[in-house]
Amino acid sequence: MRIHITHQKITIALQLILLSEAVFAVWGQRWFTAFLTAMIIAITFFPVLFERRFRIHIPPELQLAAIGFVFASLFLGEIRDYYTRFWWWDMALHTLSGFLLGILGFLLVHIMNETEKIQVHMKPGFVAFFAFMFALGVGALWEIFEFTMDSAFGMSMQKPMMGDPSGLTDTMWDLIVDALGALVISVLGWRYLKNPEEQSFLERWIDSFIERNPRFFKQ
C-alpha cells in the first residue's frame, strides 16, 4: 500500500512538471513543445487506462518505471535536450528500455505458459530466450522508426556519436545496450523459473504481477 501511494505521488509530481512546461510553452507560443508535452502527459495515463480497459493489474513499481522512462526520454531527452547535453543519456535510456521490454516479453510468454486455455508448455530457457528476442526485436523496430523519421522528415533522431555524423554508431550502440539490458532480464527470468525461491527485484515484480492477476495463472 505504501509503495502504491509513493508511486502515485511521484507520478503526480511528474505530471505537474509536464503541465507547467506545457503552460509556459503555450504562453511563449512554442507550439511544438506544447503539443509534445501534452502528448507526454497523455502517455503517463496509459497504465491506468490499460488496467481499466483490459483488467490487467500492473505492479506500481513497473508503472512508475514506464512513466519515468517516458519522462526521461521524451521530456528530458527531446524537450530539455539531454540527448545532446549528456552523451550517455541515450545509452542509459536504451539500457532501461531493454530492461522494460525484457520484462514485458517475459511476462507475455510466462502468461501463455501458465494459462490453461493455451496448451503450450515452454521450458525456462525458451521463455528467457523469447524475452531477450522480444526486447531486441522491438529495439530494432525503434531504430527503423528513427531512420524513417530522419529520412522522410529531416529529423535528427539518429544523432552524431563518437565522431560519426551518420548516426550509424548511435544506432549500433543503442542496439548493443538494448541487448545488454534484455540479457540481464532474461537471465534473472530464467533463474526465477528454475529457482522460484530466489529473490531479486525482477522476482518481486513477477510475484506481484501474478498475485494481482490470478486469473491468468494456475491456482
Side-chain angles (χ1 to χ4, degrees), residues 21-39:
E21 177 68 25
V23 170
F24 283 117
V26 171
W27 183 268
Q29 297 185 348
R30 293 178 288 121
W31 305 118
F32 178 76
T33 299
F35 170 77
L36 183 57
T37 307
M39 184 183 69

Side-chain angles (χ1 to χ4, degrees), residues 109 113 120-130 190 193-194:
V109 74
N113 220 23
V120 294
H121 302 284
M122 292 166 279
K123 294 182 178 180
F126 182 82
V127 175
F129 178 72
F130 177 89
W190 174 83
L193 294 176
K194 297 288 288 187

Side-chain angles (χ1 to χ4, degrees), residues 106-121:
F106 180 86
L107 288 176
L108 285 174
V109 74
H110 188 41
I111 290 173
M112 292 173 59
N113 220 23
E114 295 294 324
T115 301
E116 294 180 345
K117 295 180 181 179
I118 304 176
Q119 297 299 318
V120 294
H121 302 284

